[in-house]
């Protein structure tokens, strides 16, 4: 992960004083086990090019007692992608420029605009190219997005899903860096550090003079603050009409849960397996379904399971609530405890698994576990056009996304023994030609089977 700062024109050498880094020396610091380096490849009165990059320690990224057994930490791109982690690691090195406080002799250059080009990457994000352009375009940048060519020894894809972003604009150095330090975490799919009210203060400080006027201001705040409790502090400053409009729109995730709960209720299920249960949001809802006696929440991530336990603990004393049992497990490992249940649920799970591994998973579920019903939900790739996401997947961790026809054909192929009847439904607001954002298949075991 790296950021290259380039500038051309008169007096660009002054930028080195704003960065407070000597062009003749390699800047190198160890920041909590991660190596941060900055060097100049060009530095003259009319041309400057400086690159800052990080060589992280992947073990330091996950070192904490709470996550020490969380295998999902070792299956990610965090140590390679430009992200909130990258920003936190380079902030100290660029602090003088970010705060606009060079030595007094060079203070006049803080407010001087230069013809900058900022190149950074690789970026791994669920945002589309259009959304990325919409973040940087309104604040005066010409945006170029590229994907590196790749060559596999097997037939997979010709271009990487990772992208590199180049921004050109007439800016002060402080402006440019503050734009990056606000918007790179927005591009990131999650933040690795604790988010509280101080994050709002940082956004207001770095966003002064431009963020309030940005057309994607609300989106930037939502992506930056993430947690409902923190974002609500900003939301409460809005006029009542705007808040009412936001509250009236039901989130797609809630619609998925409602649809699944209705399906489980209609089949009078008494025992349910929530595979890939995450933080337990769906399992909690299932716990209030009349007639259910057993819920197994299966999840490979220890940190997610701990959050689920906290969520269950808050409602465990409520009348009629069935407390889910959390199990550490994976779709790839057989578990005799999951056999012969009334329903197994995979809510937005299959698209996170390599496609060639799914047939084995489905055979295990349908022919070894043999539930009375299997409920699958997955994104409808056709609906991405409605989201202006034609060229990217909805989440950086998705291995694929299928059209409705592809999903139906795949489900039919997985039912190769013919033991189940299949029913397909859409979830979310339906588009006239692109269907619903989420598609669902319910496998129902035939009575004579």
């Amino acid at each position: 992960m790296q950021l290259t700062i380039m500038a051309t024109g008169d007096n660009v050498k002054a930028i080195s004083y704003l960065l407070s880094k000597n062009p003749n020396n390699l800047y190198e610091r160890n920041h909590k086990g991660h190596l941060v380096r900055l060097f100049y490849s060009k530095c003259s009165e009319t041309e400057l090019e400086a690159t800052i990059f990080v060589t992280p320690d992947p073990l330091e990224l996950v070192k904490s007692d709470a996550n020490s057994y969380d295998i999902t930490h070792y299956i990610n791109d965090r140590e390679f992608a430009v992200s909130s982690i990258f920003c936190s690691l380079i902030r100290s090195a660029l602090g003088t420029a970010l705060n606009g406080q060079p030595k007094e002799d060079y203070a006049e250059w803080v407010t001087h605009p230069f013809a900058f080009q900022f190149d950074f990457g690789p970026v791994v994000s669920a945002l589309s190219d259009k959304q990325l352009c919409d973040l940087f375009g309104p604040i005066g940048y010409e945006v170029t997005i590229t994907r590196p060519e790749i060559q596999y020894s097997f037939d997979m894809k010709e271009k990487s899903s990772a992208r590199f972003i180049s921004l050109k604009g007439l800016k002060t150095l402080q402006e440019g860096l503050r734009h990056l330090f606000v918007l790179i975490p927005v591009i990131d799919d999650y933040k690795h550090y604790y988010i509280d009210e101080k994050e709002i203060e940082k956004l207001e400080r770095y966003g002064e003079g431009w963020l309030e006027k940005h057309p994607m201001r609300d989106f930037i705040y939502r992506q930056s603050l993430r947690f409902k409790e923190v974002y609500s502090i900003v939301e409460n400053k809005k006029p009542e009409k705007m808040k009412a409009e936001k509250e009236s729109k039901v989130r797609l995730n809630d619609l998925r849960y409602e649809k699944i709960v209705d399906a489980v209720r209609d089949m009078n299920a008494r025992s349910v397996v929530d595979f890939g249960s995450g933080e337990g949001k769906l399992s909690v809802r299932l716990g209030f379904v009349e007639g259910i006696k057993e819920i197994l929440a299966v999840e490979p991530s220890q940190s997610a399971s701990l959050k689920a336990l906290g969520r269950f603990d808050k409602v465990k004393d409520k009348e009629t609530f069935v407390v889910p049992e959390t199990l550490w497990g994976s779709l790839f490992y057989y578990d005799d405890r999951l056999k012969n249940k009334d329903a197994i649920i995979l809510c937005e799970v299959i698209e996170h698994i390599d496609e060639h591994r799914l047939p084995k998973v489905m055979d295990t579920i349908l022919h070894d576990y043999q539930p009375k019903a299997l409920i699958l939900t997955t994104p409808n790739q056709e609906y991405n056009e409605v989201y202006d996401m034609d060229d990217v997947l909805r989440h950086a961790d998705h291995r694929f996304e299928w059209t409705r026809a592809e999903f139906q054909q795949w489900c039919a192929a997985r039912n190769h023994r013919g033991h189940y009847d299949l029913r397909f439904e859409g979830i979310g607001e339906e588009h006239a030609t692109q269907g619903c954002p989420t598609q669902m298949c319910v496998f129902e075991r035939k009575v004579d089977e």
Side-chain angles (χ1 to χ4, degrees), residues 185-196:
V186 170
I187 295 169
D188 196 3
D189 290 322
Y190 72 90
K191 285 192 176 181
H192 71 291
Y193 51 80
Y194 182 69
I195 300 174
D196 58 14

Side-chain angles (χ1 to χ4, degrees), residues 158-175:
E158 295 179 354
K159 289 191 175 182
S160 172
S161 55
R163 288 166 283 179
F164 289 82
I165 299 176
S166 179
L167 309 174
K168 289 183 179 179
L170 191 65
K171 303 291 177 186
T172 69
L173 178 61
Q174 185 180 36
E175 282 177 332

Side-chain angles (χ1 to χ4, degrees), residues 264-291:
V264 169
R265 185 183 289 114
D266 290 344
M267 62 182 66
N268 298 314
R270 295 172 61 84
S271 55
V272 180
V273 178
D274 181 9
F275 246 126
S277 55
E279 297 176 9
K281 295 178 182 179
L282 174 58
S283 293
V284 160
R285 297 192 184 209
L286 292 168
F288 288 101
V289 176
E290 185 178 356

Side-chain angles (χ1 to χ4, degrees), residues 3-261:
L3 164 67
T4 298
I5 301 168
M6 292 173 277
T8 56
D10 295 337
N11 303 309
V12 295
K13 190 174 183 179
I15 296 170
S16 65
Y17 299 113
L18 298 178
L19 290 168
S20 191
K21 302 292 181 290
N22 189 331
N24 299 314
N25 299 328
L26 169 68
Y27 172 90
E28 186 173 280
R29 295 290 186 276
N30 189 300
H31 184 77
K32 297 181 179 179
H34 313 290
L35 197 58
V36 180
R37 295 186 177 100
L38 184 148
F39 68 92
Y40 293 82
S41 49
K42 295 178 184 177
C43 188
S44 68
E45 291 297 334
T46 57
E47 278 189 298
L48 180 135
E49 183 173 320
T51 298
I52 185 167
F53 67 99
V54 177
T55 305
D57 181 340
L59 293 180
E60 286 290 336
L61 292 177
V62 300
K63 189 178 290 183
S64 71
D65 292 338
N67 294 326
S68 56
Y69 298 104
D70 186 349
I71 63 172
T72 59
H73 282 301
Y74 297 92
I75 316 171
N76 59 47
D77 49 40
R78 308 308 299 160
E79 63 265 39
F80 306 110
V82 166
S83 62
S84 60
I85 295 175
F86 177 68
C87 290
S88 67
L89 294 176
I90 67 172
R91 182 175 287 112
S92 177
L94 299 180
T96 300
L98 265 172
N99 297 319
Q101 296 178 337
K103 291 182 179 179
E104 188 175 346
D105 292 347
Y106 310 109
E108 62 179 294
W109 298 106
V110 172
T111 57
H112 183 85
F114 296 95
F116 275 112
Q117 178 174 326
F118 300 102
D119 291 353
F120 60 94
V123 168
V124 179
S125 174
L127 301 187
S128 67
D129 286 0
K130 182 180 183 300
Q131 287 174 309
L132 293 173
C133 291
D134 288 345
L135 284 175
F136 292 101
I139 49 178
Y141 290 103
E142 176 187 334
V143 186
T144 303
I145 299 171
T146 57
R147 289 174 172 78
E149 300 288 339
I150 52 179
Q151 290 186 338
Y152 289 110
S153 59
F154 49 90
D155 184 18
M156 186 171 179
K157 55 185 176 180
E158 295 179 354
K159 289 191 175 182
S160 172
S161 55
R163 288 166 283 179
F164 289 82
I165 299 176
S166 179
L167 309 174
K168 289 183 179 179
L170 191 65
K171 303 291 177 186
T172 69
L173 178 61
Q174 185 180 36
E175 282 177 332
L177 292 178
R178 290 191 167 189
H179 293 156
L180 294 174
F181 272 74
V182 169
L183 296 180
I184 285 176
V186 170
I187 295 169
D188 196 3
D189 290 322
Y190 72 90
K191 285 192 176 181
H192 71 291
Y193 51 80
Y194 182 69
I195 300 174
D196 58 14
E197 292 185 39
K198 292 180 180 178
E199 195 73 5
I200 299 176
E201 297 172 6
K202 187 177 75 178
L203 276 174
E204 291 176 345
R205 183 170 73 255
Y206 289 171
E208 184 178 1
W210 65 274
L211 183 52
E212 286 301 314
K213 298 177 286 187
H214 198 292
M216 295 183 71
R217 179 257 188 201
D218 288 352
F219 176 79
I220 292 168
Y221 268 97
R222 285 198 305 273
Q223 289 287 104
S224 299
L225 302 179
R226 306 295 163 126
F227 301 136
K228 180 180 176 182
E229 293 79 5
V230 182
Y231 181 60
S232 63
I233 298 171
V234 178
E235 283 289 282
N236 287 335
K237 299 177 183 178
K238 292 184 176 182
E240 289 300 319
K241 182 179 179 181
M242 292 176 66
K243 287 191 285 184
E245 289 175 356
K246 176 178 174 60
E247 290 167 1
S248 66
K249 189 171 183 179
V250 182
R251 296 174 66 246
L252 177 59
N253 213 37
D254 291 326
L255 293 175
R256 287 193 200 103
Y257 294 159
E258 288 174 12
K259 192 80 168 182
I260 292 170
V261 167

